[in-house]
């Protein structure tokens, strides 16, 4: 516990723009979430800490990410590959390194580096390759890899849950955390060795089975959104989606003007997944018709949703001149990240499945021809 507190204190200094709630000062739902995160991940990780100024969003973040990862149907190898591919899609080096580190232990170095280097076609495992390609391109309406054929409802709920969660997390990390998890000056060989070492340390957090539903009670009941029907095959994921979606909507309503939220949703509706490019002129054009005092919020929200890696100190400073509170900044960024990830999940759920079969981690092998995940194959418990 002492080591966890020291590590979490060091991590707290990595968070930009807001002051996280420290472990000793945590109370209420923040303390509850911190306790769950530390228990399952050995320390309170930076993405959790950055949410802490807005307690309900901390709970929403945790259940949105935890419950799909805890699902028992799809192996953690596939889920880490999906999360890494989503991070690549969002140009989030920190998240790419985090999830490719996890893949080192679960899939081996080759496939981990193939995903991290945006070379999905080079992955050796054909089943992982199919599901990773689907996740990597799922936000692209015109050039998306098809959903693997044969996903059961439970498998789909877990995998789409991971996609939605980490499209959200990648955007939050791009805004609030440093660009790199590992020291940027490392050479390729040293980087691989460090990843191997960290992966071994993370093995218990990646391979230990988790009980579903542990986080869902952190927020009160909420109605299931129609566009999240894909989550219905897993009760715990459905509960997490419904409650977290409601929390994000409440956050947007209290911290972003209605005109800004409408502008973001209209732009997302027209977005086909294309990269916005290096220039932010498109954003300035869109916010030009907003009242002057709403333009900083419009700029922050649009950039977070569509090119989160371009949110910089100036963008945040302009917003904070109007809304100085840490909670308001977390709310505004979180709603914008959520709006994009929700749309992507909805679009991917509606897409037709025509790709190569995906292989589950459970079920009768002779009947379903499903392969086992990496930790089933080496004899460990899933």
């Amino acid at each position: 516990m002492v080591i966890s507190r020291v590590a979490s204190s060091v991590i707290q200094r990595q968070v930009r723009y807001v002051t996280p709630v420290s472990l000793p000062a945590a109370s209420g739902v923040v303390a509850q979430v911190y306790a769950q995160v530390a228990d399952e991940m050995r320390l309170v990780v930076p993405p959790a800490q950055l949410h802490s100024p807005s307690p309900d969003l901390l709970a929403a973040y945790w259940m949105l990410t935890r419950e799909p990862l805890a699902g028992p149907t799809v192996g953690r190898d596939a889920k880490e590959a999906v999360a890494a591919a989503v991070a690549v899609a969002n140009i989030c080096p920190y998240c790419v390194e985090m999830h490719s580190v996890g893949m080192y232990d679960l899939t081996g170095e080759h496939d981990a580096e193939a995903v991290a280097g945006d070379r999905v076609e080079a992955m050796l495992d054909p089943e992982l390759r199919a599901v990773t390609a689907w996740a990597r391109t799922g936000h692209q309406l015109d050039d998306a890899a098809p959903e693997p054929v044969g996903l059961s409802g439970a498998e789909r709920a877990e995998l789409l849950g991971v996609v939605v969660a980490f499209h959200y997390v990648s955007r939050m990390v791009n805004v609030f955390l440093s660009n790199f998890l590992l020291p940027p000056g490392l050479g390729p060989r040293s980087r691989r060795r460090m990843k191997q070492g960290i992966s071994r340390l993370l093995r218990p957090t990646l391979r230990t089975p988790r009980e579903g539903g542990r986080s869902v009670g952190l927020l009160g009941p909420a109605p299931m959104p129609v566009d999240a029907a894909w989550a219905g095959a897993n009760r715990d994921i459905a509960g997490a989606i419904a409650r977290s979606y409601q929390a994000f909507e409440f956050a947007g309503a209290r911290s972003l003007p209605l005109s800004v939220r409408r502008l973001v949703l209209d732009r997302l509706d027209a977005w086909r997944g294309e990269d916005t490019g290096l220039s932010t002129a498109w954003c300035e054009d869109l916010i030009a018709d907003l009242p002057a005092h709403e333009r900083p919020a419009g700029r922050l929200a649009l950039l977070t949703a569509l090119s989160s890696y371009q949110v910089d100190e100036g963008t945040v400073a302009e917003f904070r001149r109007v809304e100085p509170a840490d909670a308001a900044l977390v709310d505004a960024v979180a709603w914008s990240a959520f709006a994009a990830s929700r749309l992507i999940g909805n679009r991917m759920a509606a897409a037709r499945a025509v790709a190569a079969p995906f292989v589950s981690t459970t079920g009768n092998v002779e009947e379903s021809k499903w392969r086992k995940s990496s930790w089933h194959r080496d004899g460990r418990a899933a």
Side-chain angles (χ1 to χ4, degrees):
M1 185 63 178
V2 173
I3 294 174
S4 176
R5 285 181 178 271
V6 172
S8 295
S9 178
V10 172
I11 286 170
Q12 182 174 336
R13 294 194 288 272
Q14 299 177 3
V15 178
R16 300 182 294 189
Y17 307 135
V18 298
T19 301
V21 176
S22 67
L23 268 68
S27 62
V29 71
V30 175
Q32 294 174 30
V33 176
Y34 276 9
Q36 288 192 16
V37 175
D39 178 49
E40 297 191 6
M41 305 186 77
R42 295 192 168 185
L43 74 162
V44 183
V45 294
Q49 293 202 21
L50 71 84
H51 284 86
S52 62
S54 189
D56 58 332
L57 293 191
L58 172 60
Y61 144 79
W62 177 234
M63 66 177 61
L64 185 71
T65 56
R66 182 198 183 272
E67 295 307 326
L69 290 176
T73 309
V74 177
R76 188 63 179 261
D77 52 352
K79 292 174 182 177
E80 289 298 316
V82 164
V86 166
V88 170
N90 285 294
I91 315 178
C92 181
Y94 184 104
C95 297
V96 172
E97 290 177 345
M98 184 71 254
H99 296 291
S100 63
V101 161
M103 289 181 67
Y104 261 67
D105 187 59
L106 298 171
T107 70
E109 177 183 328
H110 184 278
D111 280 1
E113 290 301 325
V115 178
D118 203 13
R119 296 178 289 104
V120 174
E121 71 284 355
M123 295 177 73
L124 298 177
D125 187 315
E127 293 129 5
L128 280 181
R129 186 169 61 242
V131 77
T132 305
W134 168 69
R136 169 64 180 87
T137 59
H139 64 292
Q140 300 171 351
L141 280 181
D142 299 323
D143 197 27
E147 177 185 302
V149 167
L151 291 183
S152 69
E155 291 162 346
R156 205 162 186 254
E158 290 179 22
L159 288 170
L160 274 173
V162 172
V163 168
V164 170
F166 289 97
H167 267 289
Y168 170 79
V169 171
S170 291
R171 287 167 167 80
M172 296 297 289
V173 167
N174 271 340
V175 174
F176 288 106
L177 296 181
S178 61
N179 288 335
F180 298 99
L181 175 69
L182 305 179
L186 289 176
R189 181 176 297 179
S190 297
R191 182 173 295 275
R192 288 195 295 271
R193 286 177 178 173
M194 181 170 281
K195 284 187 174 184
Q196 289 168 348
I198 296 173
S199 185
R200 285 193 292 270
L201 292 174
L202 292 177
R203 178 173 290 177
T205 70
L206 295 169
R207 295 177 180 271
T208 301
R210 305 297 182 193
E211 179 183 359
R214 182 185 186 189
S215 69
V216 176
L218 293 166
L219 294 174
M224 190 66 184
V226 174
D227 64 325
W230 52 266
N234 181 301
R235 182 182 61 183
D236 299 322
I237 295 174
I241 289 291
R243 295 170 194 226
S244 63
Y245 276 28
Q246 179 171 267
F248 291 128
E249 290 291 4
F250 286 166
R254 68 186 175 229
S255 296
L256 285 172
L258 179 59
S259 56
V260 169
R261 284 177 282 140
R262 284 177 172 167
L263 179 63
V264 171
L265 294 176
D266 286 346
R267 178 64 186 90
L268 284 170
D269 281 343
W271 182 56
R272 304 191 66 81
E274 70 279 6
D275 193 319
T276 59
L278 295 177
S279 172
T280 58
W282 63 271
C283 180
E284 298 305 313
D285 290 343
L286 287 171
I287 66 173
D289 291 335
L290 291 173
H293 68 282
E294 293 184 357
R295 289 174 197 160
R299 182 181 297 109
L300 175 67
L302 283 165
L303 289 176
T304 297
L306 292 164
S307 56
S308 56
Y309 56 90
Q310 291 185 303
V311 174
D312 58 18
E313 290 183 8
T315 307
V316 174
E318 287 293 323
F319 176 82
R320 299 203 73 155
R321 289 191 183 98
V322 181
E323 294 286 353
D326 281 0
L329 178 61
V330 174
D331 284 354
V333 176
W335 179 85
S336 308
F338 150 75
S341 59
R342 177 178 186 166
L343 174 75
I344 291 165
N346 185 28
R347 286 178 173 178
M348 290 179 70
R352 184 178 180 183
V354 293
F358 174 69
V359 181
S360 169
T361 64
T362 61
N364 184 301
V365 175
E366 292 183 356
E367 290 180 1
S368 66
K369 299 182 181 179
W370 289 158
R371 74 170 170 88
K372 297 293 185 181
S373 69
S374 58
W375 56 93
H376 281 283
R377 288 198 298 269
D378 66 14
R380 297 185 179 93

